């Protein structure tokens, strides 16, 4: 079978800011860009997924939204699942035990 997945962690400040926000609540894509300090939230999410947070840990829900011109659009809202949350907290605990070095 597939081994137990683990979040490999990161020291990238943008990743850390995004994870801190995601641990608090779901984050719309536009907000993710400003919270993380980047202009490509989907690429940042992809980086985090490459580090072990799969779709079943960090998912994107497409919500129905009416934009300012009255058009329906489907912006993405990123959220950690309970499993993803546990994975990030486990990594943070390991990181803290090692004195901040992943």
């Amino acid at each position: 079978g597939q081994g137990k997945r683990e979040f490999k962690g990161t020291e990238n400040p943008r990743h850390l800011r995004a994870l801190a926000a995601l641990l608090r609540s779901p984050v719309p894509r536009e907000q993710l860009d400003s919270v993380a300090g980047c202009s490509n939230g989907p690429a940042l999410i992809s980086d985090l997924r490459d580090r072990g947070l799969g779709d079943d840990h960090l998912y994107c829900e497409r919500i129905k939204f009416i934009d300012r011109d009255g058009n329906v659009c489907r912006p993405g809202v990123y959220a950690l699942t309970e499993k993803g949350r546990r994975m990030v907290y486990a990594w943070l605990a390991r990181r803290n035990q090692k004195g901040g070095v992943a």
Side-chain angles (χ1 to χ4, degrees):
Q2 197 179 19
K4 184 176 176 286
R5 281 182 73 159
E6 196 174 82
F7 178 51
K8 294 180 186 86
T10 180
E11 289 303 316
N12 180 318
R14 289 177 176 184
H15 292 168
L16 295 173
R17 288 190 294 265
L19 287 170
L22 287 162
L23 285 168
R24 284 192 299 274
S25 67
V27 181
R29 186 259 151 121
E30 292 78 10
Q31 191 182 333
L32 181 69
D33 288 356
S34 85
V35 163
C38 68
S39 60
N40 193 346
L44 185 143
I45 294 294
S46 180
D47 288 349
L48 291 173
R49 287 185 177 145
D50 288 346
R51 293 170 177 275
L53 291 172
D55 286 340
D56 54 335
H57 305 102
L58 176 56
Y59 69 97
C60 180
E61 181 184 353
R62 304 303 290 239
I63 61 168
K64 218 179 217 169
F65 186 77
I66 308 294
D67 70 14
R68 68 177 79 174
D69 299 315
N71 301 312
V72 174
C73 56
R74 307 273 298 168
V77 177
Y78 295 104
L80 286 167
T81 63
E82 195 51 47
K83 200 157 93 174
R85 203 176 271 292
R86 284 196 303 267
M87 195 181 264
V88 173
Y89 281 130
W91 167 70
L92 286 170
R94 290 192 309 274
R95 181 177 181 244
N96 291 338
Q97 285 173 345
K98 294 177 186 172
V101 178

